[in-house]
Amino acid sequence: MSALVIRGATVVDGTGAPGRVADVAVSDGRIEAIGPGLAGGRVIDAAGLVLAPGFIDMHAHSDLALLVEPDHLAKVSQGVTCEVIGQDGLSYAPVDDATLPELRQTIAGWNGDPAGFDWNWRSVGEYLDRLDRGIAVNACYLVPQGAVRMLAMGWEDRPPTAAELDRQRELVATGMREGAVGMSSGLTYVPGMYAHDDELIELCRVVASLGGFYAPHHRSYGAGALEAYADMVRVSRESGCPLHLAHATMNFGVNRGRAPELLRLLDEAIADGCDISLDTYPYLPGATTLAALLPSWASEGGPAALLARLADPEARERIRYTMEVEGSDGCHGVPSEWETIEISGSPEPSVVGRTIAELAAESGRTAFDVYCERLIADDLATTILQHVGHEENVQAIMRHPVHTGGSDGLLAAAKPHPRAWGTFPRYLGHYVRELGVLSLEECVSHLTGRAARRLKLADRGLIRPGYHADLVLFDPASVRDTATFAEPRQQAEGIPYVFVGGVAVIGDGRHTGALPGRSLRRTPDGVTR
């Protein structure tokens, strides 16, 4: 007799095949059988509900949240059973005693920087070991190229020497051998954006040789976005490294309605043999740190050098001209649109939810002065929403056959983007049930089996006998996101059960307290286990 039987659910197995009513038996953390009339010690009556593989968040920023709050309600309550972290070229391994404090300051806006936290790792392997102490969901890790560059050559905006490039290759290879599934870049974030494409190609060759993939946040999602996508395709083609395009959007006014041009570019590359996938979130605004919008030259030398420039009148005027007239590379080549930039996280609660333009109008100061003052007052930790997306682009890209789901959720802000709590139920409720952009079976395959193939997950991402019982049970008639921009920390509705390795983490709609998740590591045979 099986330990658990989920009886009478509509099984949507992650392949895209039509759903079918069946019982699913689970024992010892794996799916034991699928069929009618199965017996179990515990039975869940799932008539009218859909049973799907657990959702895979292909772009998560839970690197610190998983350790600080391992119950991870924001994600597991959405049906997420695996996250891919180490994104955008900036995370906490590999590091040394000198670079860790700088990284903590640089991405405090993304992840927070809790007092008294024990930063007791330095390598990728040690970080993964820390995750294995107990987390609610499974996690895969990408070697962050910006952190690697920081270790090898600091915050300098120049090509690496031969020795520095060798050091970067060594760091990437070590991280991969310790379990990372690939490498990420943040090419509008310093110091990773200082790397030219030829440097990226060399690092991607290492990733490819060890069976991984490259996940870039590329150089522009605004002005020159298509050229930036084409650059990443060239990096993939010349290095032989599979390419996964992070939060693949076409934003800002210059790109309204231009998603079909991006998809044609990708289709041509795929037809020519390139191995390409992408992820998106089902919302219009983006989210990042306020400091990310600065021109790259302003951040050379690290956070202390940046703060000194903001205090220097001559440097500050040069920054203003770059941002307001030319278009900063940190802001995707688009001149600053202060009315689109809403503060989502700051130690000063009164500014949260306000745009830079609104704060400027109320204070009688220029928008740029308000921008600089916020950076200095918050020690660069301010986070923002950037209202620059287009619905027609979002829908066109999510229909593409290489599309997967990624929340890009920042969890630490006072008023985070609702995608951190709502991405996956929003796909199922809004885009499947309400708009019909995707069928239920198509959408589930995007969020599960397709993502699992990119990650080379062993026995995960589908509902099949012998596979790990990472499962989500939801009501297709009521599942929906309740997180809003006004109230973003709201648990989704219509998801009564989530299982990780056969253990219920969400039961009857509530967190059970179980922490069965762990790191999933790339192994020498090229499979992630």
Side-chain angles (χ1 to χ4, degrees):
M1 180 181 294
S2 301
L4 169 68
V5 169
I6 301 169
R7 178 159 293 159
T10 298
V11 177
V12 177
D13 66 6
T15 66
R20 61 189 179 97
V21 176
D23 299 345
V24 174
V26 174
S27 285
D28 297 324
R30 292 184 180 258
I31 298 167
E32 184 177 36
I34 304 170
L38 301 179
R42 179 190 179 196
V43 176
I44 295 175
D45 181 359
L49 303 180
V50 168
L51 183 68
F55 304 134
I56 298 173
D57 189 340
M58 287 295 289
H59 191 102
H61 286 282
S62 306
D63 310 47
L64 195 54
L66 282 166
L67 301 177
V68 176
E69 296 181 351
D71 63 328
H72 210 38
L73 183 64
K75 290 299 184 64
V76 75
S77 64
Q78 297 182 54
V80 171
T81 60
C82 180
E83 294 187 297
V84 185
I85 56 177
Q87 299 284 354
D88 294 335
L90 290 169
S91 190
Y92 305 106
V95 293
D96 60 18
D97 291 347
T99 60
L100 177 58
E102 294 179 324
L103 271 166
R104 287 170 55 185
Q105 183 177 10
T106 300
I107 53 179
W110 288 359
N111 302 329
D113 190 18
F117 182 77
D118 183 9
W119 302 86
N120 68 339
W121 70 83
R122 294 296 180 267
S123 70
V124 169
E126 290 167 347
Y127 173 73
L128 298 180
D129 289 344
R130 180 72 176 267
L131 293 177
D132 288 344
R133 293 184 184 180
I135 51 180
V137 303
N138 298 317
C140 298
Y141 191 74
L142 298 167
V143 178
Q145 171 258 331
V148 164
R149 199 175 206 269
M150 195 185 306
L151 269 174
M153 53 188 298
W155 293 77
E156 297 187 40
D157 183 2
R158 60 171 177 79
T161 65
E164 289 166 341
L165 184 57
D166 284 344
R167 174 64 172 149
Q168 290 188 69
R169 290 192 190 100
E170 176 190 355
L171 290 165
V172 171
T174 299
M176 291 287 297
R177 292 188 180 107
E178 290 175 348
V181 298
M183 181 181 77
S184 75
S185 285
L187 300 180
T188 65
Y189 298 125
V190 292
M193 67 191 297
Y194 297 144
H196 295 173
D197 286 355
D198 289 348
E199 181 179 332
L200 299 175
I201 289 167
E202 290 301 314
L203 300 183
C204 282
R205 285 177 174 145
V206 175
V207 175
S209 72
L210 294 169
F213 65 93
Y214 180 44
H217 163 130
H218 56 273
R219 298 191 192 278
S220 177
Y221 294 84
L226 286 175
E227 292 82 355
Y229 279 110
D231 283 346
M232 295 300 97
V233 171
R234 183 179 72 86
V235 168
S236 172
R237 193 190 305 272
E238 295 193 15
S239 66
C241 189
L243 177 66
H244 181 83
L245 295 164
H247 37 59
T249 59
M250 295 286 285
N251 287 338
F252 301 89
V254 295
N255 288 317
R256 184 182 296 275
R258 297 188 69 190
E261 297 176 59
L262 166 63
L263 299 179
R264 281 196 297 273
L265 184 157
L266 299 181
D267 286 340
E268 289 171 2
I270 292 167
D272 195 38
C274 292
D275 182 356
I276 298 174
S277 57
L278 57 85
D279 66 67
T280 69
Y281 47 82
Y283 297 86
L284 302 188
T288 188
T289 60
L290 193 62
L293 308 184
L294 288 161
S296 58
W297 58 261
S299 298
E300 186 176 10
L306 167 56
L307 289 167
R309 290 187 183 100
L310 291 173
D312 176 74
E314 184 176 343
R316 187 154 153 164
E317 172 55 23
R318 184 183 169 201
I319 293 170
R320 185 203 66 78
Y321 185 84
T322 303
M323 295 187 70
E324 295 191 333
V325 179
E326 296 178 336
S328 162
D329 52 2
C331 194
H332 310 276
V334 177
S336 299
E337 299 168 342
W338 300 115
E339 70 279 5
T340 70
I341 300 168
E342 175 190 352
I343 294 175
S344 61
S346 168
E348 186 175 329
S350 65
V351 304
V352 173
R354 315 301 302 283
T355 68
I356 297 294
E358 288 171 343
L359 293 171
E362 291 175 5
S363 66
R365 293 168 292 163
T366 70
F368 179 72
D369 282 341
V370 169
Y371 172 81
C372 292
E373 288 161 13
R374 287 264 51 88
L375 289 174
I376 294 169
D378 294 351
D379 200 27
L380 307 179
T382 320
T383 53
I384 61 169
L385 302 179
Q386 201 165 11
H387 296 271
V388 293
H390 307 290
E391 181 66 24
E392 64 270 36
N393 287 347
V394 169
Q395 292 192 25
I397 294 169
M398 74 168 64
R399 291 188 181 102
H400 196 273
V402 300
H403 170 264
T404 64
S407 71
D408 197 13
L410 304 176
L411 296 162
K415 186 184 172 218
H417 196 303
R419 66 194 185 193
W421 286 76
T423 288
F424 294 87
R426 183 168 175 82
Y427 270 117
L428 297 168
H430 185 59
Y431 286 98
V432 170
R433 185 179 63 244
E434 295 175 3
L435 298 183
V437 174
L438 296 167
S439 73
L440 178 62
E441 290 85 356
E442 287 174 322
C443 186
V444 168
S445 72
H446 288 211
L447 306 181
T448 62
R450 186 175 298 172
R453 287 196 300 274
R454 168 53 77 208
L455 296 170
K456 299 182 180 178
L457 294 179
D459 305 334
R460 297 180 194 270
L462 301 175
I463 298 181
R464 287 182 176 170
Y467 272 52
H468 292 272
D470 298 340
L471 302 167
V472 55
L473 194 62
F474 65 89
D475 183 349
S478 66
V479 63
R480 71 182 186 97
D481 58 310
T482 66
T484 66
F485 287 98
E487 297 290 340
R489 289 187 172 91
Q490 303 295 319
Q491 183 174 336
E493 294 180 353
I495 304 178
Y497 286 92
V498 181
F499 300 89
V500 177
V503 177
V505 182
I506 298 293
D508 294 322
R510 297 183 297 273
H511 204 296
T512 66
L515 300 175
R518 60 178 180 83
S519 65
L520 302 181
R521 309 191 192 200
R522 182 63 48 84
T523 55
D525 60 1
V527 176
T528 305
R529 304 180 188 277

